[in-house]
Amino acid sequence: MNRPIAQVKYVGHKKAIKLSHLGIHTTRDLLYHFPRRYEDRRQLKPLNQLVPGETVTVRVMVVSWEQRELRPNLVLVRAEVSDGHHRGYALWFNQPYIKRRLPPGSLVLLTGKVSRRSIFPEIQVEEYELGDSEGSSLNTGYLVPFYPSTAGLTQQWFRKVVFQALSESLPFVEETLPLKWRERYRLVPLSKALKDIHFPADEEALRQARRRLIYEELLIWELALALHNHKRRMVAPGIAHSRDNTLVERFLRSLPFSLTKAQERVIQEIFADMEAPRPMARLLQGDVGSGKTIVAAAALLKAAAGGWQGALMVPTEVLAEQHFLTFKRLLAPLSLPIALLTGSTSRKDREKILLGLEDGYISIIIGTHALIQQDVNFKALGLAVIDEQHRFGVRQRAELSSKGFLPDLLVMTATPIPRTLALVAYGDLDVSLLDELPPGRKPVLTYVLSESQRQQAYRLIAREVLAGRQAYIVCPLIEESEVLEAAAATAKAQELQTKVFPGFRIGLLHGRMRPAEKEEIMERFRQGEIQILVSTTVIEVGVDIPNATVMMIEGAERYGLAQLHQLRGRVARSYYQAYCFLVTRNNDVEAKRRLKVLVENHDGFAIAEADLKLRGPGELFGTRQHGWPEFRLAEFPRDLKVLEQARKDAHFLISSGYLDQPEFAVLKALAESKIQQLKL
């Protein structure tokens, strides 16, 4: 199972390089490279029964060939074929060599889409294979698998190699689940599941193979998380933080508002964890505007009060700068040393900050990935806080924690995650929920507008600005291209200033700006000097300007619902009525139906559930995030019940001690391998 893939028959060195691009390096990798779909080729239809539009497989004999040039660079090669009783045609485009491979008289299996432009059916061939009278083949006669592939690896070749690997390796497959456990859930043996996932005899065999492999995949994942959590709690005592909350109480009294009941409850949950002599590992979930920043500040102050240092890591420089300014303002009455460290911090300032962290002078540090660089050392890191956790991988979380000796860990997200998905991505964390917004907040009135309706949004923006309020205009999302996003935002700001709002003060913010520029723009917007801020998605989280009441999002169909809800939350920060316009050029009914979810719903968790059903977990946050695990077969929300059962079973196996028994040795080894793979 673990031998190099190049040693499998039909592979060799060149094909092994291509397979490596698919993550296939060993026989085991190949057997766990599952088909993406199946095609039912159990029935070979006679040519006179073919229906236009269907994809079929037929066994025929080549009768004759003709070739025509339809236009420059487009050659049609057509074979007249016969199944012994009826006549038809097989079509290839730009493949004249096919005539040499299949001379008249050749028996061949053809698979392709049927059309009919005359009395005889035509098949546009997608796949072909030399056939024989017996019809023995890996490419017909059953549910034929189709694999995720890459250039130079055909589906026929994949089937042949997988079949060969199964023939050689199935006797060596180690069963991971004891017989009694399999009987409990009526699961087929692993060797049978692997055979049937690739070459199922029928739909039931395929269903049973998938059941077995999905359960095992989720059980190993949940075991890895639970084992990591169990070991972390058992290996060594953590920091028992001081029960003296005098500094925290001073901070809370200085706030110009009262905490919500939810904030009070969550702070108590976090403090109880911090005071216990074991490492805290807690996820704080809260909808937009629910007050997570205050909770994080209270936790960091509690650590500082006992002489420990606190670190807050965020995914972007804009968010780091925003948090730094907020914390400086909130903590000003306490005269606590606080610093900001990002990739753009000057060398001089960086050296000063690193020294302050090492000698313990700096109590609270806020930063980006720069915090987990090798030369960053703390004298006494007692609390690591990670904001917008879904944008980090599990590995980065562990790297920040490794800067101290078992510091407490608090991870936060303003992107509501359905409870069951939280079990997958954060199964090793306890969960606190901020499920209450400050009193008096009004729901944001949300509208979906077509391109022709944008003037309505412009009129309302003008009305709000004239009334003394402010607005955001967010440019379309351009995946993985900050440069193009910045250019689009710059052009949009110029157009708005010269053609649409010449009398208003317009500002521009995007990720390509230097930190000092971004800070200046946000401060001018905060002070009201800028009335309309044109921006990319850098304002998605952490920006708090209560006077801003309008959000206009261009190209709204490009975003996930959860991300749109995040952006909308920037104008739900005060008691003024706020508005959000979702402008779309896409007239697709499905796109508008998706955006309508936001119009009708203001609950972030309900929106996240809808986004999950529409887009899947990998796209839940608008782009695929590092924190989301990749599963080979499991899909959500389809397999949520299996996930919940796997989670229960994982905790039972650990708490009961069964996992240490010999029959679970292979399963335990796989879970521990997963921990190593994730670098937990």
Side-chain angles (χ1 to χ4, degrees):
M1 289 289 282
N2 293 318
R3 66 176 173 157
I5 193 64
Q7 295 179 15
V8 175
K9 190 177 178 182
Y10 308 123
V11 178
H13 178 67
K14 290 183 179 179
K15 289 284 201 298
I17 292 173
K18 292 181 183 295
L19 287 172
S20 70
H21 298 153
L22 298 168
I24 300 172
H25 307 281
T26 66
T27 303
R28 181 186 300 278
D29 295 334
L30 180 65
L31 297 190
Y32 279 83
H33 184 73
F34 299 132
R36 69 177 189 273
R37 68 180 180 89
Y38 302 84
E39 204 168 85
D40 191 348
R41 297 183 182 176
R42 287 172 291 187
Q43 298 298 322
L44 296 176
K45 285 189 175 183
L47 291 174
N48 69 328
Q49 292 183 17
L50 301 188
V51 177
E54 69 177 350
T55 298
V56 298
T57 298
V58 295
R59 182 180 289 110
V60 293
M61 176 182 286
V62 177
V63 176
S64 64
W65 285 98
E66 63 174 305
Q67 180 175 324
R68 282 185 291 165
E69 187 172 338
L70 301 181
R71 62 172 185 267
N73 301 320
L74 183 61
V75 175
L76 169 67
V77 185
R78 188 170 84 152
E80 180 184 338
V81 296
S82 170
D83 61 10
H85 302 283
H86 310 286
R87 177 180 162 192
Y89 292 96
L91 312 181
W92 285 264
F93 291 94
N94 289 341
Q95 297 179 60
Y97 57 83
I98 211 76
K99 294 183 295 179
R100 295 192 302 275
R101 292 189 181 177
L102 302 175
S106 299
L107 280 171
V108 62
L109 289 162
L110 302 176
T111 299
K113 197 167 186 178
V114 178
S115 62
R116 191 185 287 270
R117 286 179 291 184
S118 66
I119 61 171
F120 300 113
E122 293 182 336
I123 300 172
Q124 186 167 329
V125 180
E126 298 170 3
E127 226 179 83
Y128 73 91
E129 179 187 12
L130 284 171
D132 54 40
S133 56
E134 299 301 321
S136 59
S137 169
L138 288 176
N139 302 299
T140 192
Y142 66 108
L143 295 172
V144 176
F146 284 76
Y147 294 90
S149 190
T150 190
L153 303 180
T154 67
Q155 290 298 320
Q156 288 177 325
W157 180 85
F158 244 118
R159 291 173 203 134
K160 182 168 66 173
V161 170
V162 171
F163 185 83
Q164 180 68 27
L166 282 168
S167 302
E168 295 174 1
S169 304
L170 279 187
F172 303 100
V173 170
E174 285 188 291
E175 180 58 67
T176 57
L177 300 174
L179 178 60
K180 286 185 179 179
W181 200 268
R182 296 202 311 271
E183 289 176 341
R184 176 181 179 184
Y185 291 121
R186 299 191 299 279
L187 298 172
V188 298
L190 179 57
S191 56
K192 178 171 172 53
L194 286 173
K195 176 180 174 293
D196 289 348
I197 197 74
H198 292 287
F199 300 107
D202 52 36
E203 288 86 353
E204 181 59 19
L206 176 59
R207 190 179 76 83
Q208 293 299 340
R210 290 181 63 87
R211 271 189 75 236
R212 160 65 202 251
L213 292 167
I214 288 170
Y215 171 75
E216 180 173 306
E217 179 173 46
L218 293 176
L219 180 61
I220 290 169
W221 172 259
E222 288 294 338
L223 269 174
L225 293 177
L227 272 174
H228 169 63
N229 203 23
H230 179 71
K231 288 178 180 177
R232 185 183 56 214
R233 291 174 181 271
M234 300 299 291
V235 164
I239 301 165
H241 289 272
S242 169
R243 295 177 181 272
D244 182 0
N245 292 324
T246 306
L247 191 64
V248 176
E249 288 163 1
R250 278 180 58 199
F251 161 66
L252 295 177
R253 283 197 300 271
S254 72
L255 297 174
F257 52 81
S258 300
L259 298 184
T260 64
K261 296 292 183 188
Q263 283 175 310
E264 290 176 352
R265 183 190 72 245
V266 166
I267 286 174
Q268 289 308 311
E269 290 172 355
I270 291 169
F271 281 14
D273 270 5
M274 292 180 71
E275 291 167 7
R278 65 174 189 275
M280 173 174 75
R282 185 166 287 275
L283 168 68
L284 173 57
Q285 276 193 262
D287 209 342
V288 175
S290 58
K292 293 179 301 303
T293 302
I294 297 298
V295 173
L300 289 164
L301 280 175
K302 184 174 181 65
W308 297 94
Q309 294 167 293
L312 170 59
M313 186 167 75
V314 299
T316 68
E317 290 194 358
V318 168
L319 183 52
E321 292 149 14
Q322 180 72 25
H323 271 318
F324 178 64
L325 293 173
T326 300
F327 272 68
K328 269 179 65 176
R329 189 171 69 249
L330 289 173
L331 305 183
L334 306 177
S335 303
L336 208 64
I338 179 172
L340 171 68
L341 183 64
T342 70
S344 300
T345 303
S346 69
R347 180 179 295 182
K348 182 180 176 183
D349 287 343
R350 179 182 171 82
E351 289 174 357
K352 186 178 177 183
I353 289 168
L354 294 185
L355 185 62
L357 291 174
E358 277 197 66
D359 65 18
Y361 172 74
I362 295 174
S363 297
I364 297 173
I365 181 79
I366 295 167
T368 57
H369 292 80
L371 292 176
I372 57 177
Q373 290 180 0
Q374 195 169 357
D375 61 348
V376 177
N377 298 301
F378 292 79
K379 181 181 180 182
L381 181 62
L383 174 64
V385 182
I386 299 178
D387 196 12
E388 289 307 299
Q389 158 63 23
H390 64 274
R391 299 196 178 190
F392 292 105
V394 179
R395 190 174 304 169
Q396 286 102 334
R397 195 166 89 196
E399 285 175 353
L400 182 57
S401 291
S402 70
K403 296 290 182 180
F405 181 72
L406 297 176
D408 286 342
L409 176 68
L410 176 66
V411 299
M412 307 193 299
T413 178
T415 303
I417 306 165
R419 181 184 66 84
T420 40
L421 290 193
L423 297 183
V424 181
Y426 310 112
D428 57 334
L429 304 176
D430 299 315
V431 179
S432 287
L433 182 61
L434 280 174
D435 52 3
E436 179 185 1
L437 296 178
R441 296 271 177 98
K442 298 176 182 177
V444 180
L445 296 179
T446 305
Y447 305 91
V448 178
L449 302 182
S450 63
E451 186 64 28
S452 62
Q453 297 172 302
R454 67 168 48 250
Q455 294 302 322
Q456 296 178 30
Y458 287 157
R459 285 195 292 271
L460 190 136
I461 288 172
R463 188 190 78 191
E464 286 293 296
V465 171
L466 289 171
R469 252 76 84 198
Q470 293 162 279
Y472 299 96
I473 296 180
V474 181
C475 293
L477 179 71
I478 301 175
E479 291 287 356
E480 296 179 1
S481 181
E482 202 175 60
V483 175
L484 291 177
E485 280 191 345
T490 302
K492 187 67 178 179
Q494 291 170 346
E495 177 196 343
L496 291 170
Q497 186 69 83
T498 57
K499 297 181 180 178
V500 184
F501 300 118
F504 296 150
R505 298 183 299 277
I506 293 179
L508 172 66
L509 184 70
H510 58 71
R512 301 288 293 177
M513 289 177 163
R514 293 192 301 273
E517 290 180 289
K518 289 183 277 193
E519 187 173 328
E520 180 197 354
I521 292 292
M522 287 309 303
E523 188 57 31
R524 288 176 57 204
F525 191 51
R526 190 177 290 105
Q527 297 300 328
E529 293 176 30
I530 292 172
Q531 296 167 304
I532 300 172
L533 182 63
V534 178
S535 175
T536 59
T537 54
V538 294
I539 58 140
E540 182 185 346
V541 291
V543 176
D544 186 3
I545 312 292
N547 194 50
T549 56
V550 187
M551 169 74 65
M552 180 177 178
I553 304 172
E554 304 276 3
E557 75 280 358
R558 300 187 188 186
Y559 296 86
L561 296 182
Q563 193 175 20
L564 288 171
H565 181 60
Q566 280 284 307
L567 288 165
R568 176 172 67 175
R570 299 309 102 209
V571 292
R573 322 296 289 188
S574 70
Y575 306 117
Y576 298 124
Q577 179 61 62
Y579 306 87
C580 179
F581 296 103
L582 306 173
V583 182
T584 174
R585 293 182 180 179
N586 191 337
N587 290 318
D588 179 55
V589 174
E590 183 60 30
K592 290 188 174 180
R593 183 176 74 85
R594 193 170 65 84
L595 293 175
K596 195 177 178 185
V597 172
L598 278 169
V599 175
E600 298 173 345
N601 211 314
H602 296 86
D603 178 355
F605 288 92
I607 291 167
E609 291 279 6
D611 219 9
L612 171 65
K613 290 174 184 173
L614 289 165
R615 292 160 67 87
E619 300 294 336
L620 183 60
F621 308 112
T623 57
R624 293 196 73 84
Q625 303 299 347
H626 299 299
W628 182 258
E630 291 285 346
F631 294 114
R632 296 177 188 272
L633 280 179
E635 293 179 10
F636 300 98
R638 184 195 67 192
D639 297 321
L640 288 176
K641 287 186 178 178
V642 185
L643 169 70
E644 290 183 313
Q645 187 60 54
R647 180 175 169 81
K648 288 178 187 174
D649 291 344
H651 285 274
F652 169 75
L653 285 171
I654 293 171
S655 62
S656 65
Y658 281 148
L659 193 62
D660 294 320
Q661 294 183 3
E663 61 262 41
F664 286 102
V666 177
L667 184 65
K668 184 178 180 180
L670 287 170
E672 289 176 336
S673 174
K674 177 68 73 175
I675 293 173
Q676 292 299 316
Q677 178 189 334
L678 294 169
K679 296 191 176 176
L680 285 170

